Amino acid sequence: AQSVTQLGSHVSVSEGALVLLRCNYSSSVPPYLFWYVQYPNQGLQLLLKYTSAATLVKGINGFEAEFKKSETSFHLTKPSAHMSDAAEYFCAVRAAGGGADGLTFGKGTHLIIQP
Amino acid sequence: KAGVTQTPRYLIKTRGQQVTLSCSPISGHRSVSWYQQTPGQGLQFLFEYFSETQRNKGNFPGRFSGRQFSNSRSEMNVSTLELGDSALYLCASSFKPGQLADTQYFGPGTRLTVL
């Protein structure tokens, strides 16, 4: 079975600073990895996904993530935070043989942007 | 193209009642998945439907059930509601199941409160 760990339930950065949200996964087979964002009272929106085509994945709104197999990580970054980035971010994994076959999500990281 | 729609957006029920939630997938998408989101347990996979058949099911009691219609619209039902069923229920659609790299597109969710 696969699992995801997001380090830090809350992350606070200043506007214009680097955003780094951490995600580590556990999977016995090559995984597919996703980052979703959730704004208050809304559903989830896909930021980016890793499908083994390239280890550095670029997504929407200036976000990117790098798949590092040796570290079993898929951290999300953005060079310069904007006030509109304040939201809840979820890392998710999907892998063959995982049983239920649905997305397995981390607990989420609440990103706070300080003016 | 219209996104995933869910109705109703908000629902208040009392313990012991049952509830039915509805989801209309993106046009052309034939797979519908349901997730439960709570502050304590986070996002958890409920089940997935394709061609009117349940393909996968998460670790939830039999009180949680669903179905899919020939037009791909889906409903989920929760019988004998418990306080712990209070949650945001999210529906997600994708083009077809079994494609683990496929993006799941989420609706805005139905907020269920059980009193």
Side-chain angles (χ1 to χ4, degrees):
Chain A
Q2 60 263 26
S3 66
V4 172
T5 301
Q6 290 185 242
L7 294 175
S9 59
H10 291 78
V11 170
S12 179
V13 303
S14 299
E15 189 174 19
L18 170 72
V19 174
L20 170 61
L21 304 183
R22 300 178 187 274
C23 171
N24 288 89
Y25 69 90
S26 173
S27 175
S28 58
V29 297
Y32 298 101
L33 295 160
F34 306 78
W35 273 101
Y36 281 88
V37 61
Q38 185 177 35
Y39 298 99
N41 298 317
Q42 294 188 28
L44 303 175
Q45 180 184 11
L46 180 73
L47 282 174
L48 49 80
K49 65 180 179 182
Y50 167 73
T51 60
S52 77
T55 57
L56 182 62
V57 182
K58 294 187 183 299
I60 62 171
N61 301 339
F63 285 95
E64 65 180 37
E66 186 173 8
F67 174 73
K68 292 186 176 180
K69 184 179 179 181
S70 61
E71 298 176 9
T72 60
S73 68
F74 190 56
H75 301 331
L76 181 71
T77 60
K78 181 174 180 178
S80 179
H82 191 272
M83 294 300 290
S84 61
D85 294 327
E88 191 83 16
Y89 291 79
F90 293 93
C91 181
V93 64
R94 222 175 171 194
D101 208 28
L103 287 164
T104 298
F105 286 91
K107 293 293 189 183
T109 296
H110 186 62
L111 178 62
I112 301 162
I113 310 297
Q114 305 280 5
Chain B
K1 186 182 279 190
V4 177
T5 58
Q6 293 187 245
T7 56
R9 291 293 311 277
Y10 301 92
L11 209 48
I12 299 175
K13 293 285 186 180
T14 57
R15 279 180 298 175
Q17 288 187 310
Q18 75 165 16
V19 67
T20 299
L21 313 180
S22 180
C23 170
S24 292
I26 291 172
S27 178
H29 284 191
R30 298 169 61 196
S31 174
V32 174
S33 297
W34 289 88
Y35 294 83
Q36 182 196 63
Q37 184 177 23
T38 60
Q41 298 299 316
L43 280 153
Q44 295 183 285
F45 172 71
L46 279 158
F47 30 63
E48 178 189 21
Y49 283 86
F50 175 74
S51 290
E52 303 175 62
T53 302
Q54 187 181 91
R55 283 193 71 247
N56 291 292
K57 183 172 167 55
N59 189 25
F60 278 82
R63 299 186 298 106
F64 292 81
S65 63
R67 59 177 176 168
Q68 186 181 34
F69 302 94
S70 58
N71 61 358
S72 295
R73 189 177 70 85
S74 176
E75 290 181 347
M76 68 163 282
N77 184 276
V78 187
S79 63
T80 320
L81 284 166
E82 301 176 359
L83 295 179
D85 297 332
S86 294
L88 181 67
Y89 290 89
L90 294 163
C91 167
S93 77
S94 59
F95 182 61
K96 58 181 178 180
Q99 306 297 315
L100 298 180
D102 235 12
T103 297
Q104 292 196 347
Y105 295 88
F106 285 80
T110 294
R111 172 78 61 185
L112 172 65
T113 302
V114 181
L115 302 176

